[in-house]
Amino acid sequence: MIVTRLELTDFRNYASAAFDFERGTTAVIGLNGQGKTNLAEAMAYLATLDSFRGAPLEAMIRVGAESAVVRATVLHDDGREVSVELELTRNGRNRVLVNRQKLPRTRDLLGVMRVTVFSPDDLAVVKEGPGGRRRFLDDVLVALALKYDALRLELDRILKQRNMLLKQLGGRLTQDATTTLDVWDSKMAEVGDQFGHARAVLVARLSPLVGEAYEQLADRPTSIELRYEPQWRQRGLGVALAEARVDDVRRGVSTVGPHRDDVECFVNGMPARTHASQGEQRTLALALRLGAHRLVTDKAGSAPVLVLDDVLSELDPGRCEALLRHLPPGQVVLTTAGVLPQAAHPDAILRIEAGMVMS
């Protein structure tokens, strides 16, 4: 699958722009602040309905405009050409068209095109708290099978209702409240156990792929391991929730479950978050994306578009060259503000200036 054309109207700094892409690698070159990351964000948003920069919807609509349109032409491996269009509005509902047919729900767009994104912010997945690692893992699950998006939403809904009840109790558990809490615990245990199992299977499959990607980037043998071992999975979430009930009621919040889990990353047997060097952490962050990209490619039978946003500034020259030598098959969009290394041999170059394509 490749994106052959991307059109933007009132998206970020683009009043109106169109970009044509080739198979293989396209290098997007321009000074900082010209819109390279905005282009990458637009392409990824069509695939995930989420900003990899964590930006709210209104930030993606150009200042002074009431709506923004992102449109892509996607060519599938079997020769089918699909037109995908998303209109983002400040007021009212967003609009989604696939082959000019309106989709009943915006989220039905998920899966129509697939994109893997690496950006400098990915360092936080390795370096900071567990929230980013949970999100990374769950986004990979959704990329592998859309059913996990519904499961994640259901878990969030149940957790919200359970926490609302706990907060209303004010630290006192009545008989009626106990009955209601039993219902929410049962629902949360059922969905949470499914989600925890899916995460565990994913980590087991992902860990060796991340290790392989890391060794290619570092060009030396390195032990990389991902661990997902929440204590509640040893006895089941239902039992864990029952054991934590007194504390949950006292604190007014759910203290155990998938929403509190972590995925631990190890480099040569040591925790990457606290013991790895900055260079090792950056390499691991990229290896996580590349490992996930390969896993989705194997599952889907077609490579997602790989968007590498400003990756060359994040790695030392040796690892930059190693990355460029080991780019996975499929379409790659590489943005940079600097000079391309000698190892780069892009199939096409787009030059960006003030949000427009220059010849």
Side-chain angles (χ1 to χ4, degrees):
M1 185 206 84
I2 65 170
V3 174
T4 59
R5 187 173 177 85
L6 180 70
E7 301 173 47
L8 306 178
T9 303
D10 290 330
F11 184 88
R12 291 285 193 176
N13 67 320
Y14 292 100
S16 180
F19 307 89
D20 293 313
F21 296 93
E22 304 289 338
R23 291 185 180 273
T25 300
T26 298
V28 180
I29 302 174
L31 298 176
N32 290 328
Q34 300 303 301
K36 301 183 303 299
T37 296
N38 295 342
L39 182 156
E41 181 182 35
M43 185 176 288
Y45 200 92
L46 275 178
T48 64
L49 297 178
D50 195 16
S51 166
F52 63 79
R53 305 156 87 177
L57 182 147
E58 56 268 20
M60 288 177 283
I61 301 174
R62 191 171 64 91
V63 176
E66 290 302 315
S67 64
V69 175
V70 182
R71 184 182 300 109
T73 303
V74 182
L75 182 63
H76 288 263
D77 292 354
D78 60 5
R80 289 182 299 116
E81 190 173 85
V82 178
S83 172
V84 182
E85 181 178 316
L86 175 62
E87 181 181 12
L88 308 173
T89 62
R90 295 189 189 278
N91 302 297
R93 298 182 62 182
N94 298 329
R95 182 174 62 94
V96 178
L97 297 176
V98 174
N99 290 334
R100 300 184 179 181
Q101 299 296 313
K102 186 175 181 180
L103 296 183
R105 299 178 306 170
T106 303
R107 300 200 71 82
D108 290 339
L109 185 59
L110 289 172
V112 175
M113 61 182 281
R114 292 184 172 87
V115 175
T116 301
V117 181
F118 173 83
S119 76
D121 291 343
D122 276 1
L123 179 61
V125 175
V126 175
K127 194 172 183 178
E128 297 185 4
R133 290 185 286 280
R134 286 196 301 269
R135 178 178 176 179
F136 164 76
L137 208 63
D138 297 347
D139 286 347
V140 177
L141 281 175
V142 173
L144 290 169
L146 293 180
K147 66 180 181 180
Y148 293 116
D149 184 59
L151 195 65
R152 176 168 58 176
L153 290 173
E154 178 65 5
L155 181 61
D156 288 345
R157 184 188 70 83
I158 293 169
L159 181 63
K160 182 179 179 180
Q161 293 294 329
R162 188 178 191 271
N163 283 342
M164 187 181 301
L165 174 61
L166 290 170
K167 187 175 181 179
Q168 290 171 348
L169 294 179
R172 299 177 59 186
L173 188 61
T174 65
Q175 184 60 47
D176 288 345
T178 297
T179 301
T180 305
L181 194 54
D182 285 343
V183 172
W184 287 117
D185 282 7
S186 177
K187 293 177 181 291
M188 185 169 171
E190 179 182 0
V191 177
D193 281 333
Q194 292 181 53
F195 211 64
H197 175 74
R199 282 177 173 175
V201 171
L202 173 58
V203 168
R205 297 173 61 193
L206 187 59
S207 188
L209 299 179
V210 174
E212 182 179 332
Y214 188 101
E215 288 192 346
Q216 288 179 341
L217 293 168
D219 199 24
R220 66 172 183 269
T222 309
S223 172
I224 302 295
E225 184 182 4
L226 309 182
R227 297 179 192 169
Y228 173 70
E229 300 172 340
Q231 292 186 356
W232 63 264
R233 290 203 69 238
Q234 298 175 8
R235 55 197 187 280
L237 186 53
V239 173
L241 287 171
E243 293 175 350
R245 177 168 289 190
V246 172
D247 194 34
D248 285 2
V249 171
R250 178 179 63 82
R251 297 174 61 179
V253 68
S254 302
T255 59
V256 296
H259 62 293
R260 293 293 185 101
D261 293 347
D262 196 1
V263 182
E264 297 177 285
C265 305
F266 294 85
V267 177
N268 289 327
M270 303 300 290
R273 181 169 178 259
T274 55
H275 289 68
S277 69
Q278 186 89 339
E280 289 172 330
Q281 290 176 338
R282 292 185 188 281
T283 304
L284 180 57
L286 179 55
L288 285 167
R289 291 295 180 191
L290 293 175
H293 180 82
R294 178 176 167 185
L295 192 61
V296 174
T297 299
D298 292 344
K299 173 67 166 56
S302 176
V305 178
L306 177 60
V307 177
L308 300 173
D309 183 41
D310 204 22
V311 66
L312 300 180
S313 69
E314 297 297 299
L315 304 174
D316 61 51
R319 297 189 185 195
C320 283
E321 292 194 6
L323 169 64
L324 294 170
R325 288 197 311 269
H326 293 98
L327 286 176
Q331 187 177 43
V332 178
V333 177
L334 174 71
T335 76
T336 181
V339 178
L340 287 173
Q342 290 184 351
H345 300 285
D347 299 280
I349 294 178
L350 292 178
R351 298 191 183 276
I352 306 295
E353 183 173 338
M356 299 301 294
V357 181
M358 307 298 291
S359 60

